[in-house]
């Protein structure tokens, strides 16, 4: 890396020598599809012609960045084409969806968030960055920091759930993991938080559909994770697809300039989501592709992520006829060149392929993935202490369910460069753990559930397993029931296949898809003890299971070493300590749902807003059990009253009352009794993950100052700090009982 003065001088010099066409080229990112074997049937003809078109553009020197290349030999080859294609030797920036790992697959992002453990999350993305950088990827389109409160929206899996504070901690940890100490650190890549902004509030939970977000929700809920990611140094931001309050996010000057630059202080470069510049025309906002390019650039977009013919190619003409200012173009080019320079790409644009192979094979990465999976699982129910299972007292175990043996589903969505061969399924993990102790019988029970409409990734050959056409449903169910009857315990692995969740995977219903509910009920009816292991990225309707199945462990999509992690949790080698990053509804009719609601008319009925069913969740936000128990003593506040700028220290003694060491995520919820706006009945304001030895007590202290109390008020249309009274609760979930109060002002 060079120092700042040299950097500016080099970029000034380049800007002075580059042609308009070359400058505009820097603002264009193309997909480059290296199609896997097996892809092709029904593939979009544009996609199959894409490689030749992109290579021609590289040879002409008019490409700034590529995405979707993960083979180091290919990144080197394409990089060489780019460098030789322009007389200035400007290298390409390679971006990719490094969402939860590249070769080593970590638990999905919502799972990592469920660890409530910034260290684990940072370590996961450090590994992902190392693998990505080794193959020549410089930039992750991650983290996704969109707050999601509607489980119908499939992309809930990519974020950190419903809460702005947890979302902020998770966002910052991911940025630190991807980028390291500073942008340009070796073995690290640029982080690109997305999708700016409000994308998680899609109408009806339907992906890409419009978002109407109130100002208070925008400032108080949607923006904090972006702010945290920017404060952590994120080098890039991706603009969102949808309309935000009637203006497309990718053509919204107020959003991309006044909010992002002026209010949040972002200094890096903005890329659109894929095709989102051209979409401005689709939105009936821009007149045509040229108008779309002008309006996106003028709004604050620096780079277009283009699928086919990019809209930004029209900028050359727009510069000539004055619709775009050259200073704005130079600003955008500069932002992109600065990143290339900070990454050291002018000096070292290529990767060492042998080194890449070594990094990708690093066994330490798999160990990290297993540790992360162990820390992400959430024990939802444990009646009668059914878990952990004692491996020495079991003669036989039945592992049942179509997801138990699926390598692809174990990894979850948003992975492309995985190795199925090294993926440990739940059935394999259990069999390995019990080898020499108990017999393990594996039964599918029911056919794999299927989407009604195909996944967008199917055309690339990426699918979850399907049942054969001659699948005999009755025989499969009979075999599963017999296996359960003969076993000491039945472990039933159910949930959604990985292609049922993620982008373009919204769902109007939250039930266990396919025949899985029937299978579960049949297995429970055998009278054998049952543990339900859930694989999911959204809460599912498990009302029946929550009453009838004693043990429920949510393992999400646990990744490469998922099966080993799940076995270690089930048999007590390690204890679950994850907590829900979202409120778990009883039924789809309750969504959107979250914990930070305000009090309203007839509060005595707030739990009974529907006449047919309670409006309380099935499991509260922050819920998660372990293999020990904790008791919270009284909450202490060090001052009854503080000034407006004052800080109180809230402390509580937490006792581990069980006979096993354990981890508790101690959560503090705050409520402001009156003020400029109505404030949530409870809102997470602080948390800490603490290890407490069996029989021991730890004191946990939190400082609650102006930053924890400030909020954006729609009454004053500004940030306010009220003189008021606060309630504070501390506990293990959003129903925390230990209470105190203090006065401010
Ligand atoms: C998604 C982005 C993703 C991009 C590139 C889009 O469809 O919305 O999150 O980064 O594709 O794959």
């Amino acid at each position: 890396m060079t120092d700042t003065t040299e950097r500016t001088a080099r970029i000034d010099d380049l800007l002075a020598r580059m042609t308009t066409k070359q400058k505009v080229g820097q603002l264009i990112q193309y997909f480059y599809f290296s199609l896997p074997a097996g892809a092709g049937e029904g593939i979009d003809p544009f996609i199959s012609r894409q490689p030749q078109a992109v290579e021609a553009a590289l040879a002409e020197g008019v490409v700034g960045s590529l995405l979707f290349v993960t083979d180091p030999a290919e990144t080197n080859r394409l990089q060489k084409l780019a460098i030789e294609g322009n007389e200035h030797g400007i290298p390409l920036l390679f971006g990719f969806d490094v969402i939860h790992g590249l070769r080593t697959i970590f638990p999905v992002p919502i799972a990592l968030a469920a660890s409530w453990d910034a260290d684990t999350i940072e370590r996961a993305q450090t590994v992902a960055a190392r693998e990505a950088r080794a193959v020549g990827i410089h930039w992750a389109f991650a983290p996704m920091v969109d707050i999601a409160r509607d489980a119908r929206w499939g992309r809930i899996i990519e974020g950190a759930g419903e809460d702005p504070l947890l979302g902020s901690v998770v966002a910052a940890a991911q940025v630190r993991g991807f980028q390291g100490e500073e942008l340009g650190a070796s073995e690290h890549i640029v982080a690109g938080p997305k999708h700016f902004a409000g994308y998680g509030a899609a109408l009806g939970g339907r992906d890409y559909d419009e978002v109407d977000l109130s100002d208070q929700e925008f400032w108080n809920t949607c923006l904090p994770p972006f702010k945290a990611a920017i404060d952590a140094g994120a080098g890039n931001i991706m603009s969102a697809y949808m309309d935000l309050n009637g203006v497309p996010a990718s053509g919204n000057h107020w959003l991309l300039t006044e909010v992002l630059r002026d209010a949040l202080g972002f200094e890096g470069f903005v890329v659109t989501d894929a095709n989102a510049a051209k979409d401005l025309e689709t939105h009936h906002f821009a007149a045509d592709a040229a108008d779309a390019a002008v309006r996106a650039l003028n709004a604050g977009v620096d780079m277009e992520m283009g699928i086919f013919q990019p809209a930004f190619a029209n900028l050359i003409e727009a510069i000539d006829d004055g619709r775009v200012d050259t200073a704005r173009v130079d600003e955008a080019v500069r932002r992109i060149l600065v990143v290339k320079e900070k990454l050291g790409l002018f000096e070292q644009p290529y990767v060492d392929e042998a080194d890449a192979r070594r990094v990708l094979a690093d066994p330490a990465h798999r160990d990290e993935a297993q540790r992360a999976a162990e820390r992400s699982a959430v024990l939802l129910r444990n009646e009668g202490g059914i878990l952990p299972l004692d491996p020495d007292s079991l003669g036989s175990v039945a592992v049942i369910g179509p997801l138990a043996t699926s390598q692809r589903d174990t990894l979850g969505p948003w992975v492309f460069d995985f190795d199925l061969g090294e993926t440990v399924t739940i059935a394999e993990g259990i069999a390995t753990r019990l080898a020499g102790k108990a017999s393990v019988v594996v039964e599918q029970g029911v056919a794999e559930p299927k989407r009604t409409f195909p996944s967008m990734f199917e055309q690339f050959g990426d699918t979850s397993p399907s049942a054969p056409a001659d699948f005999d449903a009755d025989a499969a169910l009979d075999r599963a029931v017999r296996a359960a009857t003969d076993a000491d315990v039945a472990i039933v692995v159910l949930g959604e296949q990985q292609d049922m969740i993620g982008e373009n995977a919204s769902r109007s219903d939250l039930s266990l898809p396919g025949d899985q509910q029937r299978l579960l009920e049949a297995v429970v009816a055998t009278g054998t003890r049952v543990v339900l292991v859930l694989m999911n990225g959204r809460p599912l309707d498990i009302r029946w299971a929550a009453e009838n199945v004693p043990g429920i462990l949510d393992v999400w999509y646990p990744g490469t070493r998922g099966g080993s992690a799940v076995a270690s949790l089930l048999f007590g080698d390690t204890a679950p300590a994850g907590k829900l990053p979202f409120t778990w509804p009883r039924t789809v009719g309750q969504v959107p749902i979250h914990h930070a609601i305000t009090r309203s008319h007839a509060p005595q009925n707030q739990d009974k807003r529907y006449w047919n069913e309670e409006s309380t969740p099935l499991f509260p936000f922050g819920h998660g059990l372990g293999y020990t128990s904790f008791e919270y003593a009284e909450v202490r506040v060090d001052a009854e009253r503080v000034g407006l700028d004052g800080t109180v220290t809230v402390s509580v003694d937490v006792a581990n009352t069980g006979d096993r060491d354990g981890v508790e995520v101690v959560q503090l919820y705050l409520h402001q009794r009156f003020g400029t706006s109505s404030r949530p009945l409870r809102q997470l304001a602080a948390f800490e993950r603490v290890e407490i030895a069996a029989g021991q007590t730890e004191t946990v202290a939190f400082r609650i100052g102006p930053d924890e109390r400030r909020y954006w008020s729609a009454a004053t249309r500004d940030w306010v700090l009220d003189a008021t009274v606060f309630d504070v609760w501390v506990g293990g979930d959003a129903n925390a009982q230990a209470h105190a109060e203090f006065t401010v002002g």
Side-chain angles (χ1 to χ4, degrees):
M1 254 202 312
T2 47
D3 72 23
T4 320
T5 339
E6 274 176 301
R7 181 180 302 142
T8 311
R10 163 152 42 193
I11 294 171
D12 285 346
D13 174 56
L14 281 173
L15 282 170
R17 290 189 291 125
M18 288 165 78
T19 63
T20 301
K21 196 170 175 189
Q22 286 169 336
K23 287 180 183 175
V24 168
Q26 286 301 307
L27 310 186
I28 297 174
Q29 179 187 50
Y30 286 95
F31 275 81
Y32 186 94
F33 293 108
S34 320
L35 298 174
E41 283 291 300
I43 200 137
D44 193 315
F46 277 116
I47 294 179
S48 50
R49 282 206 303 274
Q50 184 74 345
Q52 296 89 307
V54 172
E55 290 187 27
L58 287 172
E60 240 194 297
V62 290
V63 184
S65 175
L66 291 183
L67 74 152
F68 258 85
V69 190
T70 58
D71 174 352
E74 277 293 275
T75 54
N76 280 340
R77 182 179 73 80
L78 295 164
Q79 184 67 286
K80 190 157 183 286
L81 276 180
I83 289 172
E84 290 173 356
N86 72 94
E87 68 271 28
H88 317 293
I90 302 175
L92 285 173
L93 199 59
F94 284 94
F96 192 62
D97 289 286
V98 187
I99 307 298
H100 53 115
L102 185 76
R103 179 66 51 84
T104 309
I105 307 303
F106 283 76
V108 290
I110 195 77
L112 290 172
S115 73
W116 294 54
D117 182 4
D119 176 59
T120 292
I121 295 166
E122 182 175 338
R123 285 165 63 162
Q125 299 302 27
T126 302
V127 169
R130 182 166 187 250
E131 293 187 354
R133 190 68 199 255
V135 302
I137 293 165
H138 310 122
W139 161 27
F141 307 133
M144 190 198 91
V145 304
D146 298 312
I147 296 289
R149 296 172 164 184
D150 188 333
R152 292 171 298 182
W153 191 55
R155 303 196 81 171
I156 187 174
I157 192 175
E158 292 174 57
E162 75 181 39
D163 181 71
L165 172 68
L166 179 61
S168 298
V169 170
V170 172
Q174 294 198 68
V175 171
R176 288 195 303 272
F178 283 125
Q179 292 194 174
E181 296 272 291
E182 57 174 346
L183 210 157
S186 73
E187 302 200 316
H188 285 84
I189 59 179
V190 179
K194 65 188 186 186
H195 308 78
F196 200 73
Y199 182 39
L203 194 65
R206 293 182 295 272
D207 205 5
Y208 313 136
D209 275 4
E210 71 197 78
V211 167
D212 264 298
L213 204 58
S214 73
D215 286 344
Q216 79 86 13
E217 207 171 328
F218 178 75
W219 291 102
N220 292 320
T221 304
C222 159
L223 284 192
F226 282 103
K227 166 106 174 71
I230 290 166
D231 290 348
N236 167 256
I237 290 279
M238 184 186 290
S239 67
Y241 272 136
M242 75 305 145
D243 280 325
L244 175 66
N245 302 334
V247 182
S250 294
N252 188 329
H253 183 270
W254 170 78
L255 182 66
L256 296 179
T257 300
E258 287 166 53
V259 175
L260 181 61
R261 303 274 173 200
D262 305 344
L264 302 189
F266 179 62
E267 291 180 350
F269 72 106
V270 173
V271 70
T272 64
D273 202 338
N275 221 32
K278 285 182 96 174
D279 277 351
L280 297 183
E281 188 188 351
T282 314
H283 281 271
H284 292 190
F285 175 75
D288 51 28
D291 188 35
V294 170
R295 292 174 76 177
L297 187 86
N298 286 340
V301 166
D302 299 303
M303 180 185 278
E304 175 187 13
M305 184 187 286
I307 300 185
F308 307 128
Q309 294 89 355
F312 270 27
N314 296 291
L315 288 177
I316 300 171
E317 216 179 292
I319 295 167
D320 284 347
D321 65 25
R323 277 175 296 156
V324 164
D325 198 350
T326 24
R328 170 71 195 102
V329 174
D330 284 0
E331 177 184 60
V333 176
R334 180 183 296 276
R335 286 179 182 148
I336 291 156
L337 294 181
V338 162
V339 169
K340 292 182 177 181
E341 184 152 65
K342 282 191 182 169
L343 286 165
L345 300 183
F346 285 94
E347 287 75 29
Q348 183 46 279
Y350 302 110
V351 292
D352 177 337
E353 292 167 36
D355 189 51
R357 279 191 291 279
R358 189 181 55 77
V359 169
L360 293 181
D362 191 340
H365 293 185
R366 278 66 179 172
D367 293 345
E368 277 291 338
Q370 178 166 340
R371 180 180 173 280
E374 289 167 359
R375 290 188 171 215
S376 307
V378 179
L379 181 57
L380 295 173
R381 189 167 196 249
N382 197 19
E383 276 307 294
I386 184 171
L387 290 174
L389 299 166
D390 176 6
D392 298 315
S393 70
L394 293 171
S396 62
V397 172
V399 180
I400 296 170
L403 292 167
T405 50
S406 168
Q407 291 164 326
R408 179 64 195 86
D409 289 308
T410 304
L411 299 176
W414 276 120
V415 292
F416 304 94
D417 212 34
F418 48 81
D419 178 353
L420 280 186
E422 67 170 359
T423 304
V424 183
T425 65
I426 294 177
E428 281 164 357
I430 292 172
T432 306
R433 179 64 182 83
L434 295 181
K437 290 183 187 294
S439 66
V440 177
V441 177
V442 180
E443 284 295 342
Q444 177 164 339
V446 288
E448 286 85 358
K450 284 304 308 155
R451 286 174 59 124
T452 313
F453 306 120
S455 142
M456 66 190 243
F457 296 110
E458 224 168 85
Q459 62 177 327
F460 299 106
D462 183 20
T463 51
S464 285
S466 305
D470 60 353
F471 186 83
D472 183 338
D474 291 339
L477 187 64
D478 280 354
R479 277 199 307 276
V481 166
R482 224 172 310 123
T485 308
D486 294 346
D488 294 326
V489 66
I491 299 170
V492 186
V493 186
L494 303 179
E496 291 186 316
Q497 289 194 303
Q498 58 82 27
D499 61 2
M500 297 179 162
I501 183 91
E503 185 176 353
N504 206 335
S506 295
R507 189 171 173 221
S508 66
D509 156 33
L510 300 178
S511 60
L512 288 164
D515 283 337
Q516 295 182 97
Q517 180 69 29
R518 183 164 159 239
L519 171 65
L520 182 63
E521 292 183 19
V523 171
V524 169
T526 63
T528 296
R529 285 184 296 158
V530 177
V531 173
L532 171 61
V533 174
L534 280 178
M535 282 171 59
N536 56 299
R538 56 160 64 93
L540 295 171
D541 184 340
I542 52 163
R543 282 173 292 178
W544 188 88
E547 281 186 9
N548 295 288
V549 182
I552 307 178
L553 182 67
D554 192 343
V555 303
W556 315 102
Y557 300 92
T560 300
R561 286 270 283 267
S564 314
V566 172
S568 101
L569 290 161
L570 291 173
F571 298 105
D573 307 327
T574 181
K579 297 276 190 177
L580 290 177
F582 50 62
T583 301
W584 192 299
R586 297 167 188 276
T587 153
V588 71
Q590 285 178 291
V591 301
I593 190 171
H594 65 101
H595 78 280
I597 55 169
T598 58
R599 190 165 146 120
S600 177
H601 177 68
Q604 71 279 9
N605 290 333
Q606 199 136 12
D607 289 353
K608 301 185 191 65
R609 292 297 195 214
Y610 305 111
W611 60 254
N612 60 321
E613 186 162 31
E614 285 178 59
S615 43
T616 53
L618 188 63
F619 301 111
F621 173 75
H623 169 74
L625 306 169
Y627 292 157
T628 184
S629 49
F630 298 100
E631 256 176 45
Y632 286 76
E634 275 179 25
V635 180
R636 302 182 297 270
V637 183
D638 69 340
E640 276 179 28
R641 176 183 284 269
V642 286
L644 260 191
D645 288 338
T647 296
V648 294
T649 299
V650 177
S651 46
V652 66
D653 295 335
V654 186
N656 179 343
T657 52
D659 53 11
R660 208 186 140 122
D661 297 351
V663 170
E664 172 73 326
V665 179
V666 180
Q667 302 158 41
L668 183 151
Y669 293 87
L670 210 55
H671 166 235
Q672 171 174 320
R673 287 204 194 151
F674 53 88
T676 312
S677 285
S678 315
R679 298 293 293 144
L681 268 172
R682 285 176 179 217
Q683 174 138 40
L684 184 71
F687 66 88
E688 193 174 327
R689 190 177 182 279
V690 277
E691 289 175 26
I692 310 178
Q696 297 298 303
T697 297
E698 295 287 338
T699 301
V700 182
F702 300 101
R703 289 167 60 79
I704 303 298
D707 288 349
E708 283 73 28
R709 302 193 304 262
R710 187 178 292 111
Y711 66 94
W712 193 92
S713 167
T716 58
R717 311 203 63 74
D718 205 352
W719 296 95
V720 296
L721 260 181
D722 284 323
T724 181
V725 177
F726 282 92
D727 291 295
V728 42
W729 292 269
V730 184
D733 62 37
N735 289 342
Q737 292 302 310
H739 173 262
E741 60 182 71
F742 60 92
T743 301
V744 172

